[in-house]
Amino acid sequence: MSFEIVEATITEIQTALAAGEITSKQLVLMYLERIADHDKNGLTINSVLEINPDALFIAESLDVERSQQGPRGPMHGIPVLLKDNINTGDKMHTSAGSLALADSFAGEDAYIVTKLREAGAVILGKANMTEFANFMTNGMPSGYSSRGGQVLNPYNISTPTGGSSAGSAVAVACSFCTVSVGTETSGSILNPGNLGSVIGIKPTVGMISRSGILPLSNTQDTAGPMARTVRDAVLLLNAMLGKDSGDAAMGTSAGRLHEDYTAFLDPNGLQGARIGIPRDYYFEELTEEQLALFNASVERMRELGATIIDPAEIKTAREIKYSSVVLNEFKTSINAYLARLGPGAPMRTLKDIIDFNHAHPVETLKFGQATLIDAEFTSSGTLTEPQYLRDRATDLKLCKEQGIDATMSGHRLDALLFPADFGARITSRAGYPSIVVPSGYTSAGAPFGVTFSAQAYQEPMLIKLAYAYEQNYKIRKAPSLRSFI
């Protein structure tokens, strides 16, 4: 078949589908063959954890529907991988990469999965991830799970993948699917997006439903799209939108959402934009090579008409310390999630998971489970701990009101610009949106990106900026998938 799926965009695929050059069933088969050749063979990238046994039937059914009624929209017949903490009410498991939940089936789709199916997407399978969204223990490698093993970075296998949506990012980078869905609590879309040279959109908390997603933090969790182009990420974002009454955070989105975010794909979007760079604190871990890549990206934005305010410091940045919020919220959130799985679920509580791991140490405790144990014994599960309550208020004050809000209003900014994913901690605690975009590669081939961030529901501005940067420079390149010598 002449159609090439490597780097193929949604628009290119839809054009081929409309012309009869390819069917959705053939498209799924091509991705499966590529997964067999490169994810489970060769370099053994290991990004795909499970394949949907009904994917081909679903694709063929959508082909029939297309021939009889026409396509539902841009996502009709498009194969999508989901991070393994997103429920599907089908024949696939939802395990968060853990052996403790390896036999766990969700009773129904997560809300966003329902929306994707309604849009005509083919749920191709589940992507590997850092186990329990990197909340298993200290020192667990990003992209490792006891159920799925280690995800490798296709650009250089000695480079980390980033976590915890490692499989979602790497599978997209390698063209094992068209687009994927990741989740983020504190950098879990932005970090693997940066290291995987893909687009990652971390939406405002409340923009996308969290119902049916295995949780980490009730106040910081969100799902988001991962793609090879900004347009594809936005098309996937569109398909996941909807008002879910089961997610209390979505009440904050009333009157602030747009029906179609492709309206903000403006190649001139950087013209006249005011972008601030918080140099202090956020640049301390950069190598000279990474700093040079970042500074080059800033010059490109100036060339495209952006006004750069450098520095635009976040005065509270160095006051933001360890917070007990996620540690306390995890126990409450995971116990509620497990309880909703029904009486036949293999695990009912966080303690059950810990006990399972203790009973199977060789298989599950290669790196330990110190964080799970801390969550079990630190939290009452009622969120009444004084430290938790103080930390939650402090996070909002330092990250939101006195942090990002103060900096953006003080400098009249449209966005903040961070190197790689270094702003994830402050933006995640504020619940604010970000988009990471590829911006270059080190001499060792490791990807390097930049992240645009802004205040709540400012996704239209971030999409403009990211799209303009991408379209005018087209920096991203596909990994070779050749073995390293």
Side-chain angles (χ1 to χ4, degrees), residues 276-454:
I277 301 176
R279 290 267 174 181
D280 182 49
Y281 177 76
Y282 295 102
F283 284 70
E284 291 180 348
E285 297 179 22
L286 287 180
T287 66
E288 288 186 11
E289 191 173 17
Q290 290 172 330
L291 180 59
L293 288 170
F294 180 83
N295 289 337
S297 72
V298 173
E299 289 308 309
R300 294 185 190 111
M301 293 176 201
R302 282 199 178 100
E303 291 172 2
L304 294 175
T307 298
I308 305 297
I309 294 81
D310 185 6
E313 304 299 7
I314 299 174
K315 295 181 180 179
T316 58
R318 293 185 180 273
E319 299 178 54
I320 300 167
K321 307 297 183 183
Y322 167 79
S323 171
S324 67
V325 167
V326 178
L327 185 70
N328 280 278
E329 290 185 346
F330 178 67
K331 181 177 179 178
T332 302
S333 301
I334 190 68
N335 284 349
Y337 169 88
L338 294 171
R340 285 193 290 269
L341 291 180
M347 301 288 138
R348 307 295 298 152
T349 65
L350 173 58
K351 185 178 183 302
D352 289 344
I353 292 170
I354 293 170
D355 290 345
F356 176 92
N357 292 337
H358 276 313
H360 304 85
V362 174
E363 299 91 340
T364 67
L365 297 181
K366 183 176 181 181
F367 300 99
Q369 57 176 341
T371 307
L372 294 185
I373 292 171
D374 283 351
E376 174 63 23
F377 289 101
T378 299
S379 172
S380 65
T382 62
L383 301 181
T384 56
E385 287 76 11
Q387 189 62 50
Y388 165 76
L389 297 173
R390 284 192 290 266
D391 285 351
R392 178 65 181 137
T394 299
D395 284 352
L396 291 174
K397 180 179 71 174
L398 296 180
C399 299
K400 194 173 181 179
E401 290 95 358
Q402 295 180 10
I404 294 172
D405 291 356
T407 300
M408 292 193 67
S409 63
H411 292 284
R412 296 178 290 111
L413 301 177
D414 294 304
L416 293 166
L417 184 71
F418 295 96
D421 62 308
F422 288 3
R425 183 169 71 163
I426 188 169
T427 57
S428 65
R429 293 189 194 183
Y432 284 173
S434 298
I435 301 181
V436 64
V437 187
S439 191
Y441 301 86
T442 68
S443 57
F448 182 83
V450 293
T451 299
F452 297 96
S453 301

Side-chain angles (χ1 to χ4, degrees), residues 199-275:
I199 309 298
I201 299 180
K202 183 266 178 184
T204 304
V205 173
M207 183 182 190
I208 299 290
S209 167
R210 288 97 53 82
S211 296
I213 299 176
L214 194 147
L216 192 56
S217 164
N218 186 62
T219 56
Q220 293 180 204
D221 288 351
T222 183
M226 308 194 81
R228 291 179 294 273
T229 69
V230 175
R231 179 179 291 276
D232 280 2
V234 170
L235 289 172
L236 181 57
L237 180 72
N238 280 345
M240 293 191 287
L241 294 174
K243 185 62 181 295
D244 174 18
S245 60
D247 183 352
M250 295 207 73
T252 67
S253 68
R256 305 168 84 179
L257 297 181
H258 298 267
E259 185 175 341
D260 181 7
Y261 283 84
T262 63
F264 305 104
L265 294 171
D266 181 2
N268 299 310
L270 278 159
Q271 182 68 45
R274 291 179 60 84
I275 299 173

Side-chain angles (χ1 to χ4, degrees), residues 469-477:
Y469 184 74
E470 172 200 57
Q471 289 297 298
N472 282 278
Y473 291 101
K474 298 187 184 298
I475 294 167
R476 185 186 180 277
K477 61 184 180 182

